[in-house]
Amino acid sequence: MAVRIEVLKEDNRTRARLGKLHTPHGVIETPVFMPVGTQATVKTMTPEELKDLGAGIILSNTYHLFLRPGHELIREAGGLHAFMHWDGAILTDSGGFQVFSLGDLRKITEEGVEFRSHLDGSKKFLSPEIATQVQMALGSDIVMAFDECTPYPATRDYAKASLERTTRWLKRCQETLTTTDRQALFGIVQGSMYEDLRKQSAAEITELDLPGYAVGGLSVGEPKELMYEVLDYTVPLLPKDKPRYLMGVGSPDALIEGVMRGIDMFDCVLPTRIARNGTALTRYGKLVVRNAESAHDFSPIDPTCDCYTCKNYSRAYLRHLIKADEILGLRLMTIHNLRFLTNLMSEIRAAIKENRLPEYREKFFYEYGYLK
Ligand SMILES: CNc1nc2cc3c(=O)[nH]c(N)nc3c(CCO)c2[nH]1
């Protein structure tokens, strides 16, 4: 198995686990937050900077790279690792989610999805076979199955039909991959917010005995409490000896809540996206550096943070750069937010190791302002 998790410890009071994710491009400590590099770059960061920040695995995207520059060009370059000069692990999402959220959706059939490119409006088609062949051309370490991220809210009937098609599509991805055992195919559990449908999807997906499983169809606009409720009954249905990946999550509080419920891997564009808009993540909550309150504040974003930005720059300077639309501002804010999350995940791993995760959560939520 090219990709596997080594569970080092199961928390005694929660479902949290401490682990090591073994991939062809390194071993990653879990729980882990994966920075998103949609178009073969984690925006504004060099691979060396990502490594310095502590990132060991990043996400990239079938939909975007299929549209531009095209997977054949990347194959010609020797694959995505060579093309983007990243020697860590890469997980590629299958394009399902992006087609529904980005492309001008034309129609979903059993065969696949017809859509118009968000770049030039030209007609495109993605199927389980094509999405899998694209990811093989990219040479990603973890291949996500081509699924439908069931929209929220969805009727039971729609959610049931959607999850059953996602299962049929997963089998077609698996058949396409048999020619290459280099990659690991992760299945994605759907079923919207219906417990019996989540059970059905989990049963159908785990029957295929895949190297890893993702919980999809969440972080799609539902209240966080509802997401946690779905996790409460869905994660226990997944095998303990396989990695669990919660797609599209998330904010610091959601990362802690997801770890408590047995999730090992997370991804979210939020930290890097809000960084570029001038908002910093800190243990005391979000700091909108571009606001006037930082104009004369010559202290760092977070004096307790060990990142390059907090060691060398003031809020006033960062506010100036963001207001002036200076590229350095995007970079410095991104460095801080990514370092904040890799530090948060290592603090969470330490808390699991020392049997104090619930106490860590209480302290974090109180400081972060979640528990008044
Ligand atoms: C931001 N929230 C979010 N929810 C997601 C849900 C899904 C999902 O159900 N399937 C797939 N393939 N990708 C997903 C992604 C993109 C990756 O972050 C999601 N992202």
Side-chain angles (χ1 to χ4, degrees), residues 36 59 61 93-98 144-145 147-150 188-190 215-220 245 247-249 267-269:
V36 177
L59 234 83
N61 212 291
D93 194 9
S94 53
F97 181 81
Q98 289 73 31
M144 295 313 293
D147 64 328
E148 178 185 7
C149 170
T150 308
I188 305 175
V189 179
Q190 296 291 345
V215 181
L218 291 177
S219 188
V220 285
Y245 163 26
M247 306 188 86
V249 171
D267 90 274
C268 188
V269 292

Side-chain angles (χ1 to χ4, degrees), residues 148-176:
E148 178 185 7
C149 170
T150 308
Y152 173 78
T155 63
R156 258 189 62 82
D157 291 351
Y158 186 90
K160 183 170 173 57
S162 170
L163 82 86
E164 289 169 350
R165 181 171 52 220
T166 284
T167 301
R168 293 193 296 273
W169 282 359
L170 169 61
K171 290 173 179 165
R172 287 168 50 187
C173 293
Q174 197 178 35
E175 278 142 33
T176 309

Side-chain angles (χ1 to χ4, degrees), residues 2-3 23-26 37 57-63 65 71 74-75 78-84 86-95 130-145 177 180-186 211:
V3 170
T23 78
H25 283 89
I57 179 168
I58 62 169
L59 234 83
S60 202
N61 212 291
T62 298
Y63 169 85
L65 297 174
H71 59 292
I74 295 176
R75 188 207 307 271
L80 193 49
H81 290 85
F83 190 51
M84 66 182 288
W86 169 254
D87 65 0
I90 299 176
L91 180 151
T92 42
D93 194 9
S94 53
I130 296 169
T132 304
Q133 283 152 4
V134 169
Q135 294 179 79
M136 287 158 68
L138 300 177
S140 51
D141 301 293
I142 298 177
V143 169
M144 295 313 293
L177 254 190
T180 316
D181 61 5
R182 262 186 320 112
Q183 277 121 343
L185 176 67
F186 278 26

Side-chain angles (χ1 to χ4, degrees), residues 312-326:
N312 298 291
Y313 302 93
S314 70
R315 295 177 182 194
Y317 179 65
L318 292 167
R319 176 176 183 271
H320 160 63
L321 293 182
I322 294 292
K323 300 281 281 183
D325 226 359
E326 281 292 344

Side-chain angles (χ1 to χ4, degrees), residues 278-295:
T279 297
L281 293 171
T282 80
R283 62 181 68 253
Y284 314 106
K286 285 181 185 148
L287 171 70
V288 185
V289 169
R290 65 175 304 133
N291 284 352
E293 72 194 82
S294 295

Side-chain angles (χ1 to χ4, degrees), residues 248-277:
V249 171
S251 55
D253 52 309
L255 291 170
I256 296 176
E257 296 290 0
V259 168
M260 304 271 281
R261 290 165 173 80
I263 298 292
D264 306 303
M265 301 160 69
F266 301 87
D267 90 274
C268 188
V269 292
L270 178 111
T272 37
R273 182 174 294 169
I274 63 171
R276 295 194 300 278
N277 299 333

